[in-house]
């Protein structure tokens, strides 16, 4: 009769299994999906990441690429339970770094004694209005077919951008497959989003479970979980808002009025501050106008975003026009379209020779062609008289806020290997409080 396993073998097996469990547990505590945002306070940057088990929230940072990172910042984490059938749990960590020197490059890693991320680099935003921010702008980027992402990643690593504006619709969709698609997307954008502030607004594809994945995964300025907020960047005041409150009213019709009143107060304050920050720029997902061949809200003459609820309540076109908003950034349509200066379907060019010099109405840019599983959106056969240029190609927009009087827009085509397919300057020599009335 053969002898049974010795007690020492059981001890070795127990130690092996325990070590494997610890290794698996430590892997779950290693940060992933790391991304930055600007919290709206000069000299600050917020770092956010995900773990699968509870862990401390710490960022170590400094100026040297190698060696010890001497500075420390602590934050907090919150449990996020996805609304899918598996009720998957993840821990969202937020740490805000303070006292950063303007324009200085920092090296950082995030995590805890249970596991650390690799090192990343970012450059603290410069403070005040007297500098020239460069941004990449796009919407509608998916985890599948993110055509613009490789070029965005290269150009971000080359230091071409100070911030990213993602104008709604992420991953397609962040809630899909019990939020695993959201995880995949956040991992994909990490080389970009861990290097520059990744500023967002919600789109229709974030709607599931009352926008819970969007609200949990991003950390924007203010106290609305990123639904609407504003921030200053160089000579510009940038306002992000939700067009979706007009469509998903079962989450609360009161949100339409609440956001509108906030927009009104914020625009009034920004318009009174034109001497300091002459440009007012808005970003929202669903456009007021478009000439695409579909049945989206922007193809309707009385679009909800433009005109508001019945009786014209809470319409955004009049509000933005009255406070002299200069540039309105949109997405949703999977194409690129630049409009002539427009109000109520009338073109208000500055002049025949220079339509974007002292225009008498706001400029609309629709930039939703970063790439997703839904492919590109066709245009109607004939351009509208208010449509200046239409591009049905994958790509993204570069926005260079040169100074208080000059703003430069370029559309980059990925289909044509980075060729600039639209290039326009917006010029407003006059400073001070502005209205088109």
């Amino acid at each position: 009769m053969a002898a049974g396993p010795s007690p020492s073998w059981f001890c070795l097996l127990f130690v092996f299994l325990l070590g494997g469990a610890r290794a698996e547990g430590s892997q779950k505590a290693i940060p992933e999906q790391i991304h930055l945002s600007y919290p709206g306070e000069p000299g600050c940057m917020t770092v956010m990441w995900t773990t699968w088990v509870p862990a401390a929230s710490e960022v170590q940072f400094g100026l040297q690429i190698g060696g010890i990172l001497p500075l420390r910042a602590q934050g907090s984490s919150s449990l996020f339970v996805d609304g899918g059938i598996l009720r998957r749990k993840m821990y969202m960590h937020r740490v805000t770094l303070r006292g950063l020197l303007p324009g200085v490059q920092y090296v950082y890693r995030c995590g805890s004694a249970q596991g650390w991320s690799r090192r990343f680099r970012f450059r603290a935003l410069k403070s005040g209005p007297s500098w020239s921010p460069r941004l990449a702008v796009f919407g509608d980027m998916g985890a599948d077919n993110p055509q613009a992402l490789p070029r965005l990643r290269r150009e971000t690593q080359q230091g071409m951008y100070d911030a990213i504006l993602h104008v709604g619709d992420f991953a397609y969709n962040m809630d899909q497959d019990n939020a695993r698609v959201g995880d995949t997307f956040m991992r994909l954008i990490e080389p970009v989003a861990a290097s520059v502030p990744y500023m967002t607004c919600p789109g229709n594809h974030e709607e599931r479970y009352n926008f819970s994945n969007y609200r949990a995964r991003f950390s924007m300025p203010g106290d609305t979980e990123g639904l609407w907020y504003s921030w200053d960047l160089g000579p510009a005041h940038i306002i992000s808002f939700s067009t979706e409150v007009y469509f998903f009213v079962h989450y609360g019709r009161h949100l339409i009025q609440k956001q509108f009143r906030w927009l009104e107060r914020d625009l009034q304050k920004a318009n009174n501050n034109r001497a300091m920050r002459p440009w007012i720029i808005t970003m929202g997902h669903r456009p007021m106008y478009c000439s695409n061949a579909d049945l989206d809200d922007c193809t309707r003459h009385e679009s909800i975003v433009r005109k508001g609820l019945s009786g014209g309540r809470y319409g955004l076109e009049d509000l933005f026009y009255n406070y002299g908003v200069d540039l309105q950034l949109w997405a949703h349509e999977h194409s690129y379209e630049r409009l002539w200066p427009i109000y109520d379907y009338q073109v208000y060019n500055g002049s025949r020779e220079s339509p974007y010099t002292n225009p008498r109405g706001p400029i609309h840019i629709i930039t939703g062609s970063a790439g997703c599983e839904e492919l590109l959106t066709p245009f109607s056969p004939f351009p509208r008289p208010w449509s200046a240029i239409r591009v049905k190609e994958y790509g993204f927009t570069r926005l260079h806020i040169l100074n208080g009087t000059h703003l430069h827009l370029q559309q980059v085509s990925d289909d044509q290997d980075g060729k600039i397919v639209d290039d326009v300057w917006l010029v407003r020599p006059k400073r001070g409080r502005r209205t088109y009335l």
Side-chain angles (χ1 to χ4, degrees):
M1 185 172 174
S6 67
S8 61
W9 189 88
F10 280 113
C11 289
L12 286 170
L13 179 62
F14 176 74
V15 169
F16 175 78
L17 292 173
L18 182 62
R22 282 177 176 165
E24 184 180 287
S26 66
Q27 285 293 109
K28 289 182 177 180
I30 293 176
E32 61 170 78
Q33 306 175 38
I34 297 144
H35 54 287
L36 303 174
S37 66
Y38 177 61
E41 303 171 46
C44 295
M45 191 74 75
T46 296
V47 186
M48 194 169 177
W49 68 92
T50 299
T51 62
W52 306 102
V53 294
S57 307
E58 181 174 307
V59 175
Q60 299 177 349
F61 60 109
L63 303 177
Q64 302 300 322
I65 295 175
I68 296 172
L69 298 171
L71 304 173
R72 303 280 190 276
Q74 278 78 37
S76 62
S77 67
S78 56
L79 172 64
F80 171 60
V81 181
D82 174 59
I85 193 169
L86 296 183
R87 308 294 290 177
R88 287 177 70 234
K89 295 180 180 180
M90 55 196 85
Y91 294 85
M92 304 303 192
H93 300 257
R94 292 173 174 84
V95 176
T96 297
L97 313 184
R98 303 180 188 279
L100 302 173
L101 300 173
V104 170
Q105 181 175 269
Y106 288 86
V107 180
Y108 75 98
R109 69 174 187 168
C110 57
S112 68
Q114 295 170 257
W116 292 98
S117 72
R118 71 177 181 87
R119 294 186 178 205
F120 298 91
R121 288 181 284 181
F122 72 86
R123 192 172 297 278
L125 293 177
K126 296 177 183 177
S127 57
S130 301
W131 65 288
S132 304
R134 296 177 183 269
L135 304 96
V137 187
F138 57 86
D140 303 78
M141 181 186 281
D144 290 334
N145 193 38
Q147 292 278 341
L149 187 56
R151 188 175 309 280
L152 281 164
R153 189 164 52 226
R154 288 195 303 272
E155 294 185 352
T156 299
Q157 297 302 320
Q158 292 165 8
M160 287 182 59
Y161 304 113
D162 299 294
I164 304 292
L165 304 183
H166 189 143
V167 192
D169 279 7
F170 307 77
Y172 285 74
N173 294 341
M174 288 196 287
D175 64 272
Q176 290 290 313
D177 191 16
N178 293 281
R180 291 188 182 96
V181 173
D183 296 333
T184 298
F185 178 78
M186 298 304 292
R187 292 182 193 115
L188 283 172
I189 66 168
E190 185 182 81
V192 174
S195 303
V196 294
Y198 199 91
M199 309 302 285
T200 62
C201 73
N204 55 296
H205 279 268
E206 284 68 73
E207 174 268 336
R208 199 78 184 272
Y209 317 126
N210 195 9
F211 298 85
S212 64
N213 267 270
Y214 171 82
R215 288 157 44 212
R217 292 178 185 272
F218 295 106
S219 183
M220 296 295 121
D223 58 1
T224 66
E225 296 180 299
L227 296 181
W228 57 83
Y229 63 92
S230 65
W231 55 299
D232 294 326
L233 184 68
H237 181 70
I238 301 175
I239 301 170
S240 173
F241 66 97
S242 173
T243 56
E244 303 315 299
V245 297
Y246 291 90
F247 298 91
F248 299 106
V249 294
H250 53 285
Y251 293 130
R253 293 181 70 89
H254 69 283
L255 294 173
I256 300 172
Q257 183 187 57
K258 188 175 181 181
Q259 176 178 254
F260 188 88
R261 297 294 180 229
W262 177 87
L263 283 168
E264 204 167 31
R265 292 192 301 271
D266 194 76
L267 283 165
Q268 186 174 38
K269 184 178 175 182
N271 203 25
N272 289 333
N273 194 39
R274 293 275 195 176
M276 176 73 75
R277 302 190 193 273
W279 299 107
I280 298 179
I281 300 170
T282 62
M283 57 184 270
H285 182 62
R286 300 198 209 202
M288 296 182 191
Y289 300 90
C290 68
S291 62
N292 295 89
D294 54 30
L295 298 176
D296 284 343
D297 183 58
C298 53
T299 64
R300 304 167 186 237
H301 193 276
E302 302 295 298
S303 81
I304 295 172
V305 174
R306 190 175 79 85
K307 296 301 288 183
L309 305 180
S310 59
R313 292 175 301 143
Y314 311 123
L316 295 180
E317 184 172 45
D318 283 350
L319 180 68
F320 291 176
Y321 183 79
N322 292 343
Y323 285 102
V325 171
D326 300 287
L327 177 64
Q328 300 181 27
L329 302 170
W330 311 94
H332 192 60
E333 304 302 321
H334 301 167
S335 53
Y336 171 81
E337 187 167 16
R338 168 169 54 85
L339 276 53
W340 298 116
I342 188 173
Y343 171 69
D344 196 22
Y345 284 93
Q346 298 299 309
V347 172
Y348 289 97
N349 290 346
S351 66
R352 185 181 296 274
E353 299 78 19
S354 304
Y356 296 101
T357 297
N358 276 330
R360 295 170 294 135
I363 316 305
H364 294 244
I365 300 288
I366 304 160
T367 177
S369 60
C372 68
E373 63 187 34
E374 293 182 356
L375 307 182
L376 295 168
T377 309
F379 287 106
S380 58
F382 303 105
R384 305 290 189 264
W386 35 262
S387 180
I389 187 169
R390 311 190 299 177
V391 179
K392 187 191 169 188
E393 295 176 1
Y394 290 111
F396 60 93
T397 305
R398 291 180 186 144
L399 168 59
H400 183 197
I401 309 168
L402 186 67
N403 53 37
T405 59
H406 288 68
L407 186 153
H408 190 201
L409 288 155
Q410 293 181 315
Q411 180 66 8
V412 180
S413 169
D414 270 299
D415 289 9
Q416 299 190 55
D417 196 28
K419 180 181 177 181
I420 304 301
V421 292
D422 189 30
D423 194 315
V424 66
W425 285 88
L426 174 54
V427 181
R428 284 196 178 280
K430 295 179 181 178
R431 299 171 75 92
R433 198 168 179 277
R434 186 176 300 152
T435 180
Y436 297 112
L437 296 175

